[in-house]
Amino acid sequence: MTINSFIESIASSSSSPSVSASTPSISEQSDTTPDQSSVHYLAQHQLFEQLPDLRADICIPDYCCLSDVEDSEPIVNAWIGPRGTVSPLHHDPYHNVFAQVVGSKLIRVYSSAYNDFLYPHDSSMLNNTSQVDCEHPDLDRFPRFSEAPFWECIVKPGDLLYIPPKFWHYVRSMAVSFSVSFWWT
């Protein structure tokens, strides 16, 4: 089974009317995310270990060979979901090459130099996650958030985005989407 046929089977079996196989324009997608109680999102999953036949469709980018650790393989994660799925503003401890395979996603990236502007949770379990809703910030509670500069892009099939370790990032699917991340140290 190829990744394309795998994704098509997921998209065609979805009963949610809000799932769209086409990418909406920015103006169309602003407040039209699906009801979050009906959204199913496979996030940060090591899919290729469970379904090795799909692994043949994925090439590890050469950038991942820049590891300081000799003979280390990157951690490969899959992200599959409908339009409107969100990974809240957070950071990871790894280098990350984010590859968009199917659909499109809006990604915002903030430098780790602006940690204090991004209001991480106090608990050790969530200290890599911001308390701020990135697209609808409560500036009364988080006034410095608006001062944090960011880069924003839309990744489409075939695009790669490098995210340095500890850089904050927010991700929202703009269509039925399949992404792969390659993490290394």
Side-chain angles (χ1 to χ4, degrees), residues 67 69-73:
S67 174
V69 180
E70 198 170 317
D71 295 329
S72 69
E73 285 288 315

Side-chain angles (χ1 to χ4, degrees), residues 48 58 76-79 96-101 178-182:
F48 306 107
I58 299 296
V76 182
N77 289 310
W79 311 81
N96 180 2
V97 169
F98 183 91
Q100 189 63 25
V101 181
F178 177 65
S179 311
V180 179
S181 60
F182 301 89

Side-chain angles (χ1 to χ4, degrees), residues 52-65:
D53 288 352
L54 298 179
R55 178 66 180 83
D57 283 355
I58 299 296
C59 298
I60 296 175
D62 290 342
Y63 302 108
C64 300
C65 297

Side-chain angles (χ1 to χ4, degrees), residues 1-57:
M1 175 183 291
T2 65
I3 287 179
N4 259 354
S5 58
F6 181 74
I7 296 301
E8 286 172 12
S9 71
I10 290 172
S12 66
S13 67
S14 174
S15 61
S16 171
S18 58
V19 174
S20 170
S22 64
T23 304
S25 69
I26 294 289
S27 61
E28 290 175 317
Q29 52 76 32
S30 61
D31 289 320
T32 57
T33 56
D35 171 16
Q36 292 302 307
S37 65
S38 66
V39 172
H40 301 284
Y41 187 33
L42 181 71
Q44 194 174 328
H45 186 74
Q46 294 182 351
L47 176 70
F48 306 107
E49 289 181 16
Q50 289 185 319
L51 300 171
D53 288 352
L54 298 179
R55 178 66 180 83
D57 283 355

Side-chain angles (χ1 to χ4, degrees), residues 85-96:
T85 53
V86 168
S87 292
L89 186 60
H90 70 285
H91 66 79
D92 300 305
Y94 306 105
H95 293 276
N96 180 2

Side-chain angles (χ1 to χ4, degrees), residues 151-185:
W151 298 274
E152 185 174 84
C153 64
I154 295 174
V155 292
K156 296 178 181 172
D159 290 345
L160 298 177
L161 178 65
Y162 171 70
I163 303 171
K166 303 283 187 170
F167 269 53
W168 294 80
H169 48 287
Y170 166 86
V171 184
R172 179 175 42 83
S173 295
M174 299 175 68
V176 171
S177 186
F178 177 65
S179 311
V180 179
S181 60
F182 301 89
W183 291 348
W184 76 96
T185 55

